[in-house]
């Protein structure tokens, strides 16, 4: 299960979801020091970290990543690089 999509195209994620979107949430939560590891599986530890982030962000603590949670995560973090990429590989320089 990878989650369903919101009207703005971001997936709604909850327990059992798997994939890159889950990994992105985990990496963003890790940046914010919520103690979650990027496993690409939305497990109990991820749900609890999301709930704590939601409480700290004045959102309803559901433990699921909805549109409002995505927005707050995106505002407070930088987008993680694709797995295996470094900053130098991700930066495009004109010739």
């Amino acid at each position: 299960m990878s989650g369903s999509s919101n009207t703005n195209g971001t997936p709604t994620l909850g327990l059992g979801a798997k994939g890159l979107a889950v990994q992105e949430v985990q990496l963003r939560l890790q940046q914010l020091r919520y103690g979650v590891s990027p496993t690409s599986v939305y497990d109990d530890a991820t749900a609890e970290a999301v709930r704590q982030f939601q409480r700290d962000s004045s959102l309803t603590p559901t433990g699921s990543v909805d549109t409002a949670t995505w927005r707050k995560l995106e505002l407070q973090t930088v987008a993680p690089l694709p797995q295996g990429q470094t900053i130098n590989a991700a930066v495009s320089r004109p010739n």
Side-chain angles (χ1 to χ4, degrees):
M1 176 178 160
S2 61
S4 59
S5 287
N6 294 316
T7 55
N8 69 351
T10 58
T12 299
L13 302 172
L15 282 174
K18 297 178 182 178
L20 291 176
V22 174
Q23 184 180 31
E24 180 176 347
V25 167
Q26 292 168 329
L27 287 167
R28 288 178 184 271
L29 289 167
Q30 190 177 55
Q31 284 179 37
L32 296 169
R33 310 260 191 258
Y34 280 94
V36 66
S37 297
T39 63
S40 300
V41 177
Y42 204 110
D43 55 11
D44 290 330
T46 302
E48 183 52 40
V50 168
R51 272 191 291 278
Q52 188 58 53
F53 171 78
Q54 289 168 326
R55 281 190 285 272
D56 293 345
S57 300
S58 300
L59 298 169
T60 303
T62 64
S64 295
V65 180
D66 56 10
T67 302
T69 304
W70 273 112
R71 277 195 203 117
K72 292 276 187 171
L73 277 171
E74 289 169 348
L75 286 171
Q76 295 181 33
T77 58
V78 295
L81 294 173
Q83 189 171 7
Q85 268 198 349
T86 64
I87 293 289
N88 290 335
V91 174
S92 174
R93 293 188 176 91
N95 293 332

